[in-house]
């Protein structure tokens, strides 16, 4: 399989991950028994650097920031998939940093989250690592 196809697959998965995370991270099920906690997060405000915020505000900021990050990574993966081999060969550090970033996200997901983000993280990491491995190693000299 070519690295460009793997980057494009990763891009689609990252886009789905971004949409799913952004739409779902604020959802809760009454069976979880966290209604009192969520109400507390929304109701208790504190002042920081002249702004009145709640823990719910901070939670939302972190969740939306992660969704934006996943959207950016989808664009990056799509762009990497469209690069000519010579350009991709010059981006060795970027290719491997991208794969290692998602390997770290996979570890965090495994430790703190649940099946769906773990599965997405694993498959995305495998696509990015395989794409980095299959990408041209050197620029041809003419």
């Amino acid at each position: 399989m070519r690295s460009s196809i793997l980057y494009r697959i990763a891009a689609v998965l990252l886009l789905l991950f971004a949409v799913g995370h952004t739409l779902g991270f604020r959802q809760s099920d009454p069976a979880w028994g966290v209604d009192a906690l969520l109400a507390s997060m929304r109701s208790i405000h504190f002042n920081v650097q002249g702004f009145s915020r709640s823990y719910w505000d901070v939670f939302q900021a972190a969740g939306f920031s992660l969704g934006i990050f996943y959207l950016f990574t989808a664009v990056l993966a799509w762009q990497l998939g469209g690069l000519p081999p010579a350009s991709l060969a010059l981006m060795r550090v970027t290719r491997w940093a991208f794969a290692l970033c998602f390997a770290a996200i996979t570890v965090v997901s495994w430790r703190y989250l649940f099946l769906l983000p773990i599965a997405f993280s694993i498959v995305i990491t495998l696509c990015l690592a395989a794409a980095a491995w299959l990408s041209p190693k050197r620029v041809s000299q003419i």
Side-chain angles (χ1 to χ4, degrees):
M1 185 172 283
R2 293 182 17 223
S3 64
S4 59
I5 293 169
L6 290 166
Y7 279 122
R8 295 288 167 91
I9 291 168
V12 170
L13 291 172
L14 284 160
L15 181 62
L16 292 172
F17 207 177
V19 170
H21 185 275
T22 302
L23 295 177
F25 83 93
R26 295 179 296 164
Q27 304 298 316
S28 69
D29 185 332
W32 298 342
V34 296
D35 291 341
L37 171 66
L38 295 176
S40 176
M41 287 175 66
R42 289 181 177 107
S43 66
I44 298 173
H45 287 256
F46 48 90
N47 291 313
V48 176
Q49 298 177 349
F51 292 88
S52 175
R53 296 291 185 247
S54 67
Y55 275 106
W56 182 252
D57 295 331
V58 175
F59 174 77
Q60 288 191 109
F64 285 128
S65 295
L66 188 57
I68 293 165
F69 169 74
Y70 285 147
L71 181 59
F72 167 75
T73 59
V75 171
L76 177 61
W78 191 265
Q79 289 293 316
L80 288 171
L83 287 177
S87 298
L88 201 53
L90 295 171
M91 301 185 69
R92 183 172 185 245
V93 172
T94 302
R95 295 185 334 245
W96 283 107
F98 197 13
L100 290 172
C101 174
F102 268 87
I105 288 172
T106 299
V107 170
V108 170
S109 296
W110 185 271
R111 172 66 176 94
Y112 296 105
L113 296 175
F114 43 89
L115 185 59
L116 200 54
I118 292 168
F120 265 89
S121 298
I122 288 170
V123 175
I124 290 166
T125 298
L126 291 174
C127 285
L128 294 176
W133 180 262
L134 293 172
S135 294
K137 309 298 184 246
R138 303 179 197 275
V139 178
S140 301
Q141 300 292 330
I142 296 179

